[in-house]
Amino acid sequence: MGYTVVTNNVRCRDRYEGEYDVVYNEDWTYLEVLLQVRNLVQDGAKLITHPMAGSLKPNQTPFRSVVVGTYSMEDKEPWEDVMLIENSIDSCQKFLRGRPLPNWPEDIKKDCRTLDLSFIEGAMARAPRCPGTTE
């Protein structure tokens, strides 16, 4: 399987399409991205990036990208990833319940896309290369 990027961020899709599998839907919310990741983790994928990486809370950005794969950056028990994604979903719901996401203007959305992409690029720069890649 290698790596899969699950995202609602067109910049992440454009950056990683062709290099990794990309599961993209621009209409997904931050929470819906996490729910898609949970489905993959429940099917045996491992979290490569933290589901809530970065300094932006779910009520501060509409964009989220998470990388999963068959190769893990650390030795973990399978249940650890299940618990992490479940806790991330719970946390996301709490943030959004207390303060829903505003309808940001496009210039702020552009900045949020850039930040989300930078979190993933930083993590992937440290991720082990998948077998069969030339990098």
Side-chain angles (χ1 to χ4, degrees), residues 37-50:
V37 170
R38 179 180 64 188
N39 293 342
L40 294 172
V41 168
Q42 288 175 341
D43 286 341
K46 294 179 170 80
L47 290 170
I48 303 302
T49 62
H50 194 287

Side-chain angles (χ1 to χ4, degrees), residues 50-64:
H50 194 287
M52 296 183 77
S55 57
L56 294 175
K57 296 174 181 69
N59 58 359
Q60 295 175 320
T61 181
F63 303 105
R64 175 54 44 193

Side-chain angles (χ1 to χ4, degrees), residues 24 37 44 55-56 65 107 119 132:
Y24 167 78
V37 170
S55 57
L56 294 175
S65 300
D107 60 329
F119 295 143

Side-chain angles (χ1 to χ4, degrees), residues 3-129:
Y3 293 134
T4 300
V5 180
V6 182
T7 187
N8 64 349
N9 181 350
V10 68
R11 295 207 53 210
C12 282
R13 181 204 65 190
D14 292 349
R15 166 64 180 85
Y16 291 107
E17 201 167 47
E19 184 175 353
Y20 305 121
D21 292 333
V22 176
V23 179
Y24 167 78
N25 187 323
E26 69 182 331
D27 295 325
W28 283 340
T29 63
Y30 188 123
L31 178 61
E32 289 169 322
V33 170
L34 297 182
L35 294 171
Q36 292 297 318
V37 170
R38 179 180 64 188
N39 293 342
L40 294 172
V41 168
Q42 288 175 341
D43 286 341
K46 294 179 170 80
L47 290 170
I48 303 302
T49 62
H50 194 287
M52 296 183 77
S55 57
L56 294 175
K57 296 174 181 69
N59 58 359
Q60 295 175 320
T61 181
F63 303 105
R64 175 54 44 193
S65 300
V66 180
V67 180
V68 298
T70 55
Y71 307 98
S72 181
M73 291 172 49
E74 54 187 287
D75 294 325
K76 294 186 278 190
E77 294 293 327
W79 58 267
E80 290 181 86
D81 283 347
V82 172
M83 292 303 300
L84 181 55
I85 189 64
E86 291 292 347
N87 289 338
S88 296
I89 289 168
D90 288 344
S91 181
C92 179
Q93 290 171 327
K94 287 176 189 172
F95 274 110
L96 293 173
R97 197 173 312 124
R99 188 172 178 194
L101 185 71
N103 186 14
W104 300 109
E106 190 53 41
D107 60 329
I108 293 177
K109 288 181 182 178
K110 182 180 176 184
D111 291 344
C112 291
R113 284 185 193 99
T114 299
L115 285 170
D116 178 59
L117 176 61
S118 71
F119 295 143
I120 296 301
E121 286 178 330
M124 293 312 291
R126 295 182 304 277
R129 292 290 95 193

